[in-house]
């Protein structure tokens, strides 16, 4: 990790096909939730330990932005972001389903330790250029998710402006920008790899406990 992680903002349902595959309504404005900073762990060949006694654990691959300076009105994403990464928003899907039915917050399903593994940072090329390159999650050698910022419901600029206006943005904050369709469960021993274009940014092996 490049520096101390402050707030970890996550955008829910930011790809139309992902919202539809889970039977959710497409939001009319960004849906934001948070993960604790303790959820962020390096994804550089590490073993990621996940709960094995909470029902299904699903992967959700995402493009992650790191905020480099305090947000001011009118600043562009290209001025605000210095580096990016790919990450996984691990989700306790069965737990989340129960919480949603009760109308409770998602923290128990989204905020557990190691639920936000992150690849090493790479330079952010700018909003226009990043739209020319897709990212993908490879599970045990098979591509299961592929996404591109051009397919997002809310653009990177809309996400940044919304979060800053409602919650604030400053140096060290991370934004998980949403996951494309193709989410699914992981099993003990699964190998996950995140790629940006032709470049592998990080990988990990899943180990269940409990």
């Amino acid at each position: 990790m490049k520096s101390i992680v402050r707030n970890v903002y996550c955008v829910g349902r930011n790809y139309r096909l992902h919202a539809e595959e889970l039977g959710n309504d497409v939001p009319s404005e960004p849906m934001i939730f948070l993960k604790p900073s303790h959820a962020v762990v390096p994804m550089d060949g590490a073993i990621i330990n996940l709960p094995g006694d909470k029902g299904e654990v699903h992967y959700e691959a995402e493009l992650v932005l790191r905020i480099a300076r305090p947000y001011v009105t009118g600043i562009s994403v290209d001025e605000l972001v210095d580096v990016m990464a790919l990450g996984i928003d691990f989700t306790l899907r069965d737990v989340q389903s129960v919480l949603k039915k009760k109308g409770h917050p998602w923290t128990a399903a989204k905020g557990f330790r190691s639920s936000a593994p992150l690849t090493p940072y790479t330079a952010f090329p700018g909003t226009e250029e990043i739209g020319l390159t897709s990212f993908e999650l490879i599970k045990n050698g098979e591509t299961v998710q592929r996404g591109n910022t051009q397919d997002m419901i809310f653009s990177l600029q809309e996400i940044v402006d919304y979060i800053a206006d409602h919650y604030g943005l400053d140096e060290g904050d991370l934004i998980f920008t949403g996951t494309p369709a193709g989410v699914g469960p992981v099993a003990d021993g699964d190998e996950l790899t995140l790629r940006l274009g032709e470049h592998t940014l990080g990988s990990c092996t899943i180990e269940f406990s409990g």
Side-chain angles (χ1 to χ4, degrees):
M1 302 302 159
K2 183 172 180 177
S3 62
I4 294 175
V5 174
R6 298 183 64 185
N7 299 298
V8 183
Y9 296 106
C10 303
V11 185
R13 305 177 192 173
N14 198 26
Y15 288 78
R16 186 176 301 275
L17 291 179
H18 170 58
E20 291 174 353
E21 75 177 345
L22 295 184
N24 295 318
D25 294 332
V26 175
S28 58
E29 63 181 44
M31 178 183 294
I32 308 299
F33 62 93
L34 291 142
K35 285 179 179 269
S37 59
H38 300 292
V40 180
V41 292
M43 185 178 173
D44 52 3
I47 295 175
I48 304 296
N49 192 271
L50 299 175
D53 58 352
K54 304 291 185 182
E56 285 195 346
V57 183
H58 281 203
Y59 57 78
E60 299 188 17
E62 311 201 11
L63 175 73
V64 183
L65 305 180
R66 180 191 180 273
I67 304 303
R69 55 186 55 85
Y71 177 95
V72 294
T73 302
I75 193 171
S76 70
V77 172
D78 293 359
E79 297 172 299
L80 192 65
V81 174
D82 59 348
V83 294
M84 53 166 279
L86 296 179
I88 301 176
D89 165 22
F90 279 122
T91 303
L92 301 178
R93 190 68 73 201
D94 293 339
V95 173
Q96 186 188 38
S97 295
V98 172
L99 294 173
K100 286 166 66 176
K101 288 179 181 178
K102 293 181 177 180
H104 291 178
W106 292 0
T107 305
K110 293 282 194 177
F112 54 95
R113 288 181 181 273
S114 302
S115 64
L118 203 65
T119 69
Y121 292 113
T122 187
F124 180 64
T127 52
E128 186 171 338
E129 187 170 343
I130 195 61
L132 302 176
T133 306
S134 296
F135 64 91
E136 60 184 9
L137 173 63
I138 301 167
K139 175 185 171 185
N140 300 327
E142 177 184 357
T143 297
V144 290
Q145 280 189 285
R146 181 177 287 110
N148 188 291
T149 58
Q150 295 186 39
D151 299 325
M152 290 179 171
I153 297 171
F154 303 104
S155 69
L156 297 181
Q157 190 66 53
E158 289 174 313
I159 292 168
V160 162
D161 291 340
Y162 185 91
I163 293 174
D165 183 52
H166 288 78
Y167 310 109
L169 272 178
D170 207 337
E171 181 179 1
D173 289 343
L174 298 179
I175 302 177
F176 280 66
T177 58
T179 193
V183 302
V186 292
D188 190 61
D190 279 350
E191 295 184 1
L192 305 179
T193 300
L194 288 173
R195 292 176 59 88
L196 181 66
E198 298 180 354
H199 303 286
T200 297
L201 297 189
S203 62
C204 67
T205 301
I206 302 304
E207 181 178 86
F208 279 170
S209 63

